[in-house]
């Protein structure tokens, strides 16, 4: 019998898992790759302004922990997180109106990991997750990888509609509701206290978990803070609150927090052990040191002042940059403005022409779990100075005018 050829002897490798094959790349990440050229003024990514990082203060914190206690800072650590960092986070949460102990907090490798841990511990394939429509893109990725069935809940200018939530929850019997109630990504909207109370009551009555994501809550420019959903009656025993250091210190630290009821938190600790053992020891120690000796509130005041000025530059310039009939909001904080172009415009189709003019935005359509709005656009105002924002809006106006004229010629 002749020897088999190499081609005959090799069996193809198995296919990717279904969850990996069905989950696409983030359109925001793809656009950031296309607009990485330094000459591009990008309103696409929610990138904190790097010139506002307290690089000196963070460097001092790293220097201190490496000089004073290098053996601990460079060693393996507990999955729950650095005790000093957890205590500092608990103190800040308590000061913001939600009584929290250090043991209530799990440190995560960015708040994104916290959401992944919740999906791992709460969701079986086929479970229903309710989301705001439109919704944070990376959350949709996580739920897709978990095999969940994502059901959108309608929103308006004040965020999630509680009446629609109640009706959908009664029909779909969901396991989890995911929300960003304060300065939501992508819309910048904030849920009122009345609606938060309603959401808490619906969750208790319908028997579902709440994942409350709060990466932007400390970036308020005006108005009074609104209590976390987790603080309202009915939500206390069923809400996991996600926090992040990315927007208040620096995203490169990859530090987040998860505050959750005890049984859920213990399950998340086990899931974290399987995922990465623990978050970077030295980063946690440096963050704990920074929170001990630096004035984070003073730093945040400077950041908020700068971002308020940038928000004003963007919002006040949109009337000249966007076509007549466009609409947009004026968020009281956060990083994003949500705009809609007039009917007949397609923000995704227009993007290549916009990028050719060295400016960029994120089309709103990918953020929808339900029927997308092709006219929607997300614009981030935090990365660039007011002067750069003005220049970018001028480019955007020219690009949209050029695209419209081209479409008319083709028509």
């Amino acid at each position: 019998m002749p020897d088999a050829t190499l081609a005959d002897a090799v069996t193809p490798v198995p296919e990717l898992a279904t969850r990996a094959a069905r989950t696409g790349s983030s359109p925001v990440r793809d656009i950031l790759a296309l607009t990485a050229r330094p000459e591009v003024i990008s309103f696409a990514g929610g990138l904190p302004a790097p010139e506002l990082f307290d690089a000196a203060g963070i460097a001092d914190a790293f220097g201190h922990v490496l000089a004073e206690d290098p053996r601990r800072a460079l060693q393996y650590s507990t999955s729950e997180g650095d005790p000093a960092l957890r205590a500092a986070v608990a103190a800040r949460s308590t000061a913001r109106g939600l009584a929290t102990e250090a043991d209530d907090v799990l440190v995560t490798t960015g708040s994104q990991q916290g959401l992944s841990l919740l999906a791992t511990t709460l969701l079986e394939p086929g479970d229903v997750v309710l989301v705001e429509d439109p919704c944070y893109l990376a959350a949709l990725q996580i739920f897709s990888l978990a095999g969940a069935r994502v059901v959108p809940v309608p929103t308006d200018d004040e965020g999630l509609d509680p009446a629609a939530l109640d009706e959908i929850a009664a029909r779909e019997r969901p396991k989890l509701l995911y929300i960003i109630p304060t300065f939501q990504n992508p819309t910048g909207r904030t849920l009122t206290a009345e609606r938060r109370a309603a959401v808490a009551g619906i969750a208790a009555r319908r028997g579902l978990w709440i994942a409350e994501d709060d990466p932007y809550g400390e970036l308020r420019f005006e108005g009074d803070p609104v209590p976390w959903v987790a603080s309202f009656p009915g939500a206390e025993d069923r809400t996991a609150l996600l926090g992040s250091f990315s927007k208040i210190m620096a995203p490169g630290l990859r530090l987040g927090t998860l505050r959750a009821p005890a049984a859920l938190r213990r399950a998340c600790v086990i899931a974290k052990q399987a995922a990465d053992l623990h978050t970077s020891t030295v980063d946690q120690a440096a963050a704990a040191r920074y929170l001990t000796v630096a004035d984070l509130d003073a730093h945040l005041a400077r950041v908020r002042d700068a971002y308020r000025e940038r928000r004003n530059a963007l919002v006040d310039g949109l009337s000249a940059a966007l076509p007549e009939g466009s609409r947009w909001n004026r968020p009281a904080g956060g990083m994003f403005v949500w705009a809609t172009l007039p009917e007949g415009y397609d923000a995704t189709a227009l993007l290549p022409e916009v990028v050719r003019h060295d400016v960029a935005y994120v089309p709103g359509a990918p953020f929808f779990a339900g029927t997308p709005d092709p006219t929607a656009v997300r614009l981030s105002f935090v990365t660039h100075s007011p002067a750069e924002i003005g220049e970018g809006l001028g480019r955007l106006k020219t690009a949209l005018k050029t695209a419209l004229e081209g479409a008319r010629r083709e028509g």
Side-chain angles (χ1 to χ4, degrees), residues 309-322:
E309 186 178 12
R310 295 173 188 206
R311 182 223 35 201
N312 292 344
L314 178 65
V315 172
D316 294 345
L318 285 176
S319 59
L322 298 185

Side-chain angles (χ1 to χ4, degrees), residues 56-124:
I58 294 173
D60 285 346
F62 273 97
H64 176 85
V65 299
L66 289 172
E68 297 297 320
D69 199 2
R71 294 185 179 185
R72 183 183 70 87
L74 298 175
Q75 185 57 277
Y76 285 115
S77 185
T78 62
S79 298
E80 290 82 356
D82 184 302
L85 181 57
R86 295 166 71 200
V89 169
R92 289 188 69 82
S93 298
T94 300
R96 292 177 64 190
L98 185 61
T100 304
E101 301 292 335
D103 286 345
D104 297 331
V105 177
L106 168 65
V107 178
T108 59
T109 305
S111 64
Q112 188 76 8
Q113 186 190 50
L115 188 55
S116 293
L117 297 177
L118 291 175
T120 298
T121 54
L122 291 177
L123 299 177
E124 303 284 359

Side-chain angles (χ1 to χ4, degrees), residues 325-395:
S326 299
R327 295 181 67 248
W328 56 89
N329 59 350
R330 189 183 189 91
M335 306 176 87
F336 305 108
V337 167
W338 188 247
T340 53
L341 304 175
E343 186 175 353
Y345 281 77
D346 187 323
T348 301
L350 291 168
L351 184 60
E353 183 63 38
V354 169
V355 173
R356 277 194 287 273
H357 285 76
D358 291 334
V359 65
Y361 56 70
V362 176
F367 294 95
F368 287 86
T371 303
D373 180 354
T375 72
V377 172
R378 191 193 76 174
L379 300 157
S380 176
F381 51 81
V382 297
T383 309
H384 297 287
S385 69
E388 291 170 329
I389 289 171
E391 171 63 25
L393 290 174
R395 296 178 189 180

Side-chain angles (χ1 to χ4, degrees), residues 261-275:
L264 176 56
R265 189 177 64 256
R266 286 193 295 269
C268 287
V269 170
I270 294 171
K272 182 171 174 61
Q273 291 169 357

